[in-house]
Each structure stands twice: as structure tokens, then as C-alpha cells.
Amino acid sequence: MQKKYLIDEERIPRRWYNIAPDFPEPPAPALHPGTGQPVGPDDLAGLFPMGLIAQEASMERYIDIPDEVREIYRIWRPTPLIRADRLERALGLRDDQRIFFKYEGVSPSGSHKSNTAVPQAYYNREAGVKRLATETGAGQWGSALSMACQIFGLDLTVYMVKVSYQQKPYRRVLMELNGAHVYASPTAHTETGRKALQDDPDTNGSLGLAISEAVEDVVGHPGSKYALGSVLNHVLLHQTVIGEEALEQVGAADAYPDVVIGCVGGGSSFAGIAFPFMRETLAGKAKTRFVGVEPTACPSLTKGVFTYDFGDVGQTTPLLKMYTLGHDFMPAGIHAGGLRYHAMGPLISHAYHLGMMEAVAVPQTKVFAAAQMFMQNEGILPAPESAHAILAAIDEALAAKAAGEARTILFNLTGHGYLDLGAYEQFLAGKLEDYDHPEAAIKAAMEHVPSA
Amino acid sequence: MQKKYLIDEERIPRRWYNIAPDFPEPPAPALHPGTGQPVGPDDLAGLFPMGLIAQEASMERYIDIPDEVREIYRIWRPTPLIRADRLERALGLRDDQRIFFKYEGVSPSGSHKSNTAVPQAYYNREAGVKRLATETGAGQWGSALSMACQIFGLDLTVYMVKVSYQQKPYRRVLMELNGAHVYASPTAHTETGRKALQDDPDTNGSLGLAISEAVEDVVGHPGSKYALGSVLNHVLLHQTVIGEEALEQVGAADAYPDVVIGCVGGGSSFAGIAFPFMRETLAGKAKTRFVGVEPTACPSLTKGVFTYDFGDVGQTTPLLKMYTLGHDFMPAGIHAGGLRYHAMGPLISHAYHLGMMEAVAVPQTKVFAAAQMFMQNEGILPAPESAHAILAAIDEALAAKAAGEARTILFNLTGHGYLDLGAYEQFLAGKLEDYDHPEAAIKAAMEHVPSA
């Protein structure tokens, strides 16, 4: 039985896939918080270079990947599609109950984040930008962008969510090896940061807060731009290289998926693997279910409200139509830092609203147990974020087994967990907590969302 | 330009290559320390299963890889051969000055150690063994064996060199995730450990000492055997899958190496990449130079003596003919824990004695600088051990550039450094020390070597 499905580097996709024009109804535009009108390119020009702004609003189905970006993609792409045959046997599955995963942990940052970090740095360099500022949660985005900035000669400042900064010191070292400047957010460098520290000096920080700090950092600083690792349309777009490769690989494996599974924080890795398969389903070429997996501690799809909200705590971003828990919802300090975001990217939110996908929320102790089982069988230690998808894939497989049904499952293994061993240590020591009931915190945060 | 040379998993080698019968003169046998006579299988039966003992003394050129071992190899093999084209450009090389590396960091343990851990666990399981004990330096061997033992249902106890236990806590967690029991060596569990703690309660420990503890642990415990991660013939044998794959891949790349480079501690990863190429050279089919790279802090080839010595501090092993610094030489606490061994595997020592290879010793600050340069260009953070080979490869390339000569360089990137970021943090902070002059310590240790 073949385990790994590899493709040659000339098969790295030449185009990103933009799902926006293929939706049965168009997604709602981003709004200017002052005017309530859809934002135009000029409204975003302070934050992003025009190359990315054009992608953000594009209604073209395909966007060419620049040669220079594809050249860098060769460092780790195409990534392997792997059959989890040892996990299948451990679960006692039948031959027609199959689990495949696309493994993005082979990139320089150890996660899918490099797929968008490289083009973002590229378009900024093309626009003459000298310096980027960004936020990072678990540190995967920051690591990815630090490598990309180093390649394209950009200076980088990273606001790293404090709880992750403390839990994952090695992520900071990785960024510093690439020359980045890294600070624990909230910092005293920004107004938003100072206010947050005043309110609660011991705050864990959050992605929403760190975003505010990075945005505040660049506004009004010529030569500086902002970069975001998820949520926005152009970020999701860049990640579709994952699904395009996977489509070719499941063809080689004769294993078109009945269900595609991914973890969801801001939604970019999920979009990356799912959107190309959704295109096939929308075109009537396939019938596939799509499942986004989120933490019970931060359940934006399963418990959030679909409405306009800010992307950040400081209310500095445009208003986006999203499933949100409220822009000042502060998630508990779970170890899947990359999933600690109060809302869900607009394109994912739109797909969920249209019934094109399902969502499920899972607690972290079960996630880590699934991760250990996966590692013992497949020899890869997953990032806690990625392990959310593993748990859901195992649940899907066991449901198929119980029903006696054939099922082919594909999930996105977004990254490795070799920099998350502190979290695994706590898991082994029985010290992980679950945070299953954030309803009161959601209700309080939603009261600050004007449109709700 | 193609960057990655991948081969399908059916091309995983079916046989290991044993260099012993191909040497111009046979290597010296291991001797029983009591009788001074060559050891026979019965002398080793307390430590190893017969399947491995037979390989240790084999004069067959090829040994079949069991199907069950090949089945596990599929998890990560074949590993990629990668052209370091971005590093080449950073060094300003000509088109005919080329650097390739074989990347073993994709395995479950993140290093080449999995190549021998799996067959060692397999042959023990076949022999009805229930439990293994071993030592580990940097923790790569322990991680590899813990995964293999978990797969084959063996219990595992690991004596981890204290300085690494403290520097690399996450390696311990990785082993524990696979169910292993891990102790900082020296421990109070063994006579050798207690004596070492009495002599110096603050000792860093060493591989030689940890080996003694593991050997003492299993002697006289029925159902327990010992496993070693390097040095011995059967370990070097298992690693030849690296070089056999690389031979096929350099063919595909049309890039037969002028020089093959690897780091050397006990010698197994170096043997793994070099021996199949040495076979071609011995057969007159190619002219290739071979360079082993060791730390100045533990320079067994460049400053050791070629004589019979014990493999461990406690003088419990057979006497092996090796380049040695003396079995109780205690190397400084450099971060390349896997290279902190007082001697060099007998087959490597023999090849060096016969002039079939060169050796060079390098200080760790230069090693880490080379590692950072490699990471910034090739997107892979190397283990400190592996980075010794990177530094030598860069030096080879720059020498070819200075001489205006064509040169194709192949080195073995034995593992990733994502669990070594503590060391990189010290490097960035300017806190790494070099240890260039261990002559006095070597002289003192050599006085305890009876044959010297």
C-alpha cells in the first residue's frame, strides 16, 4: 500500500484560486466604520500594498502566482499527501474507510503560514515597502513572515500574544534568527497596548489585541505596512495552493474525499485545503462534506453571531461580516494559540452561512489525546491547532465504522508541534484544562458589537 | 533549476550495505577485556539479540532489510536530496560549484537515528525481548528508539546525558509521549552512576558514562537488552540506507559528488552517507573525497590515538580498536550533544587509519553561524550536530571558489534543530563558548587506556 503521494516541483500550482466569484451569492463587502460604506482601495492603502489590496477585492477566479514566489515555494512545496494507514489500523477501520492528510509542517516555519508569508513579503517589496509590522498568536505566522522578510530584505516587528510568548519562547528565537524584532503583546509601545495593560496588567493578550497594536504601529509611518496571517481574503487565497496540490494527489491515490476537515481560527488553512474542493462540489463534479474544527474555548462558528464586527480589539480595522464572539472577547489561554481569534474570516463565514460547510467545537484535552495517538502511529507530532483536525478526522472515521459505511477522509495537518512540547508536557502531567462554557463572556463581548 | 530530488517509496533500499568485506585490509576484531581474545556471539548475547550480533560480525556485503522494517521506513523514507541553490548564490559560487544535501530531519525523531532504531527494536522483538535500556546524548537517539519501541511493543528506559537533559527538556517529553522512562545520567540507579556522582556531583555526564549505566541496567536482567545508537558495526550498517538512496538521487541530479561530508560523533550518520560512495570509490568507479567533521571540544579523529579502548567509562564493553581520547575523557558541554563521545566507531576509525577519509575539527561558534546562514537561505534549522557538516561544506565550496575549480559537494543534514532553540538563543546572545584545547584532558584520560 502506498503511503506518501509526492508530486514534482514543476507541479507547484501556477495560480491561486479565488472562491469569491463562485459563491451562489456574493459575500458582503467590508465597510468603513465611519461612513458605513464599502471600503475602497484607498481606505486600505495605509495598511497594505496595492498588489494585495487588488487580491482582497478581486472577482477573478484565478490569480497568477509570481515566478519569484513560486521559486521560493520550491523550498518546501509540493507538500506530501500521506495516507494515515497505521492510524487506520489502530482504529480498526475497514479497507474502504480511509484517512489521508496533507502535511504542511515541512515548510520553513513548520506550518502552512509560509504559503502566504512569502507572497505578502513579495508584494510589499515590489511596492517599495521597507518594513512590516504584524501580530502572531502561537508564533507560526511570525516565524513564517520573519523568514519571508529576511528573503525579501524587509525589516519586521512582531507583536506576539503574551500567553504564547511565555509558553513558546523558542518561537521567538526562531523569529530572531531571521532578524525580526519580537515583543510580548500587549506592549507599552501603543495606545491600545497601554490601555489593555491598564485594564489588566496580567492579561494573556489575544490575537485581536495584537492586531490592534500592529495596525497602530504602521499607521502614519511611511515605508511601513501591516501584514495579517489569516482572516482576510488575500490570505485565504494564497493558501489555496494546499488544496490545488491535494486535488492532484487524491487523483493519484484514487481517493477523492467524502469529507474534508481542517481546524479553523481565522480560517486560512481551512480555506486553503477546502476551497478548491468546494469549487468541484459547486460545479457539481463531486459531493464532499466540509468540516471546520474550532476549540470550545473560542467557538466563533458554533456559538458566534453572523454580523459586522471589527477584526481587532482596538476597533481600527474595517468592519467585516463574520461569525464573531465580539471583538473584545478574550479567549482562555488554550495551547492552540493560532485558534484564539474572536471571529472567522469573511469567506469562511459566508460559506458557513450558506450551508456549504459544517462546524464542530472540541475541548483541548481530547485534542491532545488525539495528537498523541496520531504521533504514535504516524510518527509526526502535530501542532495543537492541527490536532483539532486530527480529532475530528478520528471521530469521522469511527462514525463511518459504526455505520458500516465506506468513507474517505482528508484533513489538513497544518504544522508540526516540535515547538509545542511544553504544552504536551502539561498534557502528560494531567495539567491541561478545558474551557467549555464561554457563553457569559461571549454575551458580554457581543454587547460591544454595534451591529449585533 | 530543480531543487528537490525525490524518489518513490518502492525505491527504499531492500538491502543494507556492509563495508567490512570491501576494506583493503580487514578491521581489527573486538576483544574480550578479560581474555584478550576476539569476542564471540556468546560474549554479546547478554546485551544484544542474535539477529544484531550476526550483523555485527558479518562479512556479507549485503544484508536484506526485513519487510516489516521497510514498512516502517515508509513513514519517512526515501528522504529528499536537496540542492542548496540559495546557499550557493549567497556564497557567490559558480554554476559548477554545487552543494547538495541529503535531509534526514523528516523522520519521526527528526534525525537519521530512526534508521537504526526501527531495525534494532524489530530484531529484539523477534528475539522475544520485552524491554530495552539505552543512553542518549542530545536526545535524538532516545526519541528515535522510543518511537520504535512503541511500534514494536517494547518497554524502554533511557539514560540521558545530564547536560542534554537540562538543555533539551523537550526531547524528554517527546520520549515520554512514546511511553519511555527517561533519567538524567549519571543516576543513583547504577554503581557506575553512583561512583560518578560521588566523584563530581555537578558532572555534565557523557555518552560514555550513560552507556555504562544502560549496560549495567540490563546485565543480568532476563528479558532486557541494551541498544546503542552509534559506534557499532550493525548501527553503521543500518544507516547505509541514506547513502544508497543518495547514490540514486545524485544520478537523477547528474551530480556525482567530488566530496562527501558528514559530522562524526560515534560515526553512524557519516557511515550512512559515506560507505555506499566509498564502495564506488574502492571499486574504481569514482573518485570522491570523504570528510568527517568533529567538534574541537571532542576531537577523536584529529587528536585521538588509534588503539584498543573501552566504549564506555565503566569499562563494561568489549575492547574496540578505535581513535580514542580515552574512555574517561569528559568532553565540555557543547550543544552538539550527539558528538560528545570519546572515541569513533571501529569501521570509521579503520577507514580513517587506511587513509580513505579526511577529518577536520571545528569550534561551535562558527558552527552556529553556519547554521544560521543555512537556515536563512534554505529554510531548515539544522541540529547543532548537523551544522558541523554545513560549516565544512561551506568551507569546501569557498575553497573551490578561491581555486576557481568545479566541485560538487554532498553533505548529510542529519536532523533538524527545532528542539535545539535554547542553544540558538545562547548563540544569538553571544553566550556560546568554544573549547579548542582539550589536549591536557586527553593526555590524562589516555593514561587510563591500558593499550596506549
Side-chain angles (χ1 to χ4, degrees), chain A residues 299-300 303-310 322-330 342-343 438-452:
Chain A
S300 49
K303 302 219 169 164
V305 178
F306 187 49
T307 188
Y308 272 103
D309 194 7
F310 292 100
M322 306 186 285
Y323 281 87
T324 180
L325 304 168
H327 56 264
D328 56 8
F329 175 80
M330 190 66 68
H342 69 276
E439 282 82 357
I442 297 170
K443 188 158 176 287
M446 285 307 296
E447 282 170 12
H448 303 145
V449 178
S451 66

Side-chain angles (χ1 to χ4, degrees), chain B residues 2 4 20 24-25 48 76 85 97 99 138 152 167 197 205 293 356 384 391 398 434:
Chain B
Q2 193 171 338
K4 301 185 293 298
E25 43 188 270
F48 302 110
W76 73 97
D85 59 337
Q97 293 156 344
I99 305 176
F152 289 107
Q167 285 172 350
L197 287 171
V293 192
M356 292 167 59
L391 173 57
L398 293 177
D434 287 329

Side-chain angles (χ1 to χ4, degrees), chain A residues 1 3-4 9 74 77, chain B residues 1 3-4 9 74:
Chain A
M1 183 194 295
K3 184 158 185 64
K4 301 185 294 298
E9 59 197 48
R74 291 181 321 130
R77 303 212 71 84
Chain B
M1 182 193 296
K3 184 159 184 64
K4 301 185 293 298
E9 57 196 50
R74 289 181 321 129

Side-chain angles (χ1 to χ4, degrees), chain A residues 13 15-17 62 240-248 272 276 279:
Chain A
R15 307 185 298 180
W16 292 299
Y17 167 58
Y62 294 101
T240 58
V241 290
I242 303 171
E244 295 290 9
E245 286 178 10
L247 255 178
E248 178 167 339
R279 175 187 63 213

Side-chain angles (χ1 to χ4, degrees), chain B residues 2 41 45 53 104 116 170 203 245-246 272 290 330 357 395 401 438:
Chain B
Q2 193 171 338
I53 292 171
E104 293 293 310
T116 184
Y170 289 177
T203 177
E245 286 178 8
F290 299 91
M330 189 65 67
M357 59 177 283
D395 287 346
K401 181 184 176 184

Side-chain angles (χ1 to χ4, degrees), chain A residues 68-231:
Chain A
E68 222 176 318
V69 170
R70 256 185 111 245
E71 174 80 9
I72 305 297
Y73 276 171
R74 291 181 321 130
I75 293 177
W76 72 98
R77 303 212 71 84
T79 63
L81 178 81
I82 302 176
R83 176 139 184 206
D85 59 336
R86 295 178 47 80
L87 178 63
E88 290 173 9
R89 280 196 293 272
L91 295 171
L93 303 185
R94 295 191 324 212
D95 284 353
D96 60 357
Q97 293 155 345
R98 301 181 293 177
I99 304 176
F100 290 82
F101 62 96
K102 180 76 167 160
Y103 185 39
E104 293 293 309
V106 294
S107 87
S109 63
S111 85
H112 67 289
K113 295 287 185 185
S114 297
N115 298 328
T116 185
V118 170
Q120 288 194 46
Y122 166 82
Y123 287 110
N124 275 288
R125 202 262 339 250
E126 286 295 284
V129 174
K130 301 295 179 206
R131 170 179 177 271
L132 293 181
T134 196
E135 78 296 329
T136 197
Q140 295 175 332
W141 166 240
S143 323
L145 192 62
S146 71
M147 175 80 189
C149 283
Q150 190 270 124
I151 288 174
F152 288 106
L154 301 173
D155 201 50
L156 175 65
T157 291
V158 181
Y159 294 86
M160 185 171 185
V161 177
K162 191 162 69 178
V163 62
S164 292
Y165 187 94
Q166 292 165 341
Q167 285 171 352
K168 307 185 182 186
Y170 288 178
R171 279 281 173 195
R172 171 180 57 75
V173 179
L174 202 50
M175 292 183 258
E176 288 174 350
L177 278 168
N178 277 315
H181 313 281
V182 188
Y183 304 104
S185 167
T187 71
H189 309 179
T190 68
E191 213 169 297
T192 318
R194 286 187 293 272
K195 182 172 177 316
L197 287 171
Q198 225 167 29
D199 292 352
D200 177 8
D202 298 323
T203 177
N204 279 330
S206 75
L207 273 176
L209 187 55
I211 291 172
S212 296
E213 290 208 84
V215 168
E216 190 181 326
D217 175 308
V218 303
V219 168
H221 285 79
S224 285
K225 298 279 183 201
Y226 169 68
L228 187 66
S230 190
V231 180

